[in-house]
Amino acid sequence: MQTALVLLTSLLVGGTAMAAPVTYQVDPAHTYPSFEADHLGGLSILRGKLTKTAGTIVLDKEGKTGTVDITVDAASLDFGNAKLNDKAKSEKMFDVAKFPTITYKGTLAKFNGDSPTEVDGQLTLHGVTKPLKLTLNQFKCMQNPTTKQHVCGADASATLDRSEFGIDYDADLGFKQEVKLQLEVEGIRAS
């Protein structure tokens, strides 16, 4: 009896220890970094998004850890206004010819049960890398009822000072430098 109990305990502990992290490929059809930025010191709020995103998210629910590695095509910036898009992509602002990608690499930092609530990471924007913490306002994993694939999704947010990344265009005209980020992200479990 004691041998059977030791064997059962070993199997249970071994099964827990063998749980592996799961890798999810970012689904570009359901992932959009968006942002809000000031126009003329409070006159209005400019809103835009970046439409081409790729990357991976590794999640270890049992170990309460994981990583995030996202790459965004800076030229996919879209305000919904062609003239403003061209200005923002020029060397005066994002300079997408010189800095074609925006990257975010981070570690899942806090969990509520088996769901992450924060990511501690590094944002590289306009050739400058700075720490940026993302708050995961919502997180869920499930089987997609349409595709039958296992997916995880999140709504993340953060705030940054664009001047810290060398993008201080029109600060002299009173433009506030704070930018609010929102990230809608979904990942599909890799086979």
Side-chain angles (χ1 to χ4, degrees):
M1 177 70 174
Q2 189 175 20
T3 304
L5 183 58
V6 169
L7 181 59
L8 180 60
T9 303
S10 296
L11 287 172
L12 290 173
V13 171
T16 301
M18 293 175 59
V22 178
T23 300
Y24 295 84
Q25 295 297 322
V26 169
D27 178 358
H30 292 97
T31 302
Y32 297 101
S34 61
F35 55 90
E36 295 181 355
D38 173 66
H39 185 239
L40 290 170
L43 180 63
S44 64
I45 300 292
L46 298 173
R47 291 181 175 85
K49 66 180 180 176
L50 295 130
T51 61
K52 293 183 181 174
T53 306
T56 56
I57 298 163
V58 177
L59 175 62
D60 181 348
K61 286 186 176 186
E62 289 185 26
K64 298 192 185 315
T65 188
T67 59
V68 174
D69 188 348
I70 306 288
T71 301
V72 180
D73 179 350
S76 73
L77 180 130
D78 186 6
F79 282 99
N81 177 310
K83 187 175 178 181
L84 184 54
N85 290 349
D86 291 342
K87 186 177 193 178
K89 293 175 189 180
S90 76
E91 65 280 349
K92 294 178 183 179
M93 293 183 77
F94 285 89
D95 197 357
V96 300
K98 186 174 180 182
F99 306 107
T101 57
I102 301 165
T103 61
Y104 183 78
K105 298 178 188 299
T107 302
L108 300 175
K110 291 185 180 179
F111 279 71
N112 181 7
D114 62 2
S115 294
T117 61
E118 285 184 1
V119 184
D120 282 333
Q122 299 282 321
L123 175 68
T124 301
L125 170 65
H126 199 247
V128 178
T129 302
K130 296 275 185 185
L132 184 69
K133 183 183 297 267
L134 293 176
T135 299
L136 300 180
N137 306 303
Q138 179 177 301
F139 181 87
K140 181 178 181 177
C141 294
M142 61 182 279
Q143 181 179 10
N144 182 312
T146 306
T147 65
K148 306 301 183 207
Q149 295 174 303
H150 189 266
V151 295
C152 288
D155 172 66
S157 60
T159 301
L160 63 87
D161 181 334
R162 66 183 173 98
S163 68
E164 291 181 355
F165 293 88
I167 306 173
D168 59 358
Y169 183 78
D170 281 347
D172 58 329
L173 296 178
F175 280 67
K176 298 174 187 173
Q177 300 301 292
E178 180 181 270
V179 175
K180 293 180 183 177
L181 301 176
Q182 284 293 133
L183 176 62
E184 163 198 340
V185 61
E186 291 185 19
I188 302 169
R189 185 176 183 155
S191 302

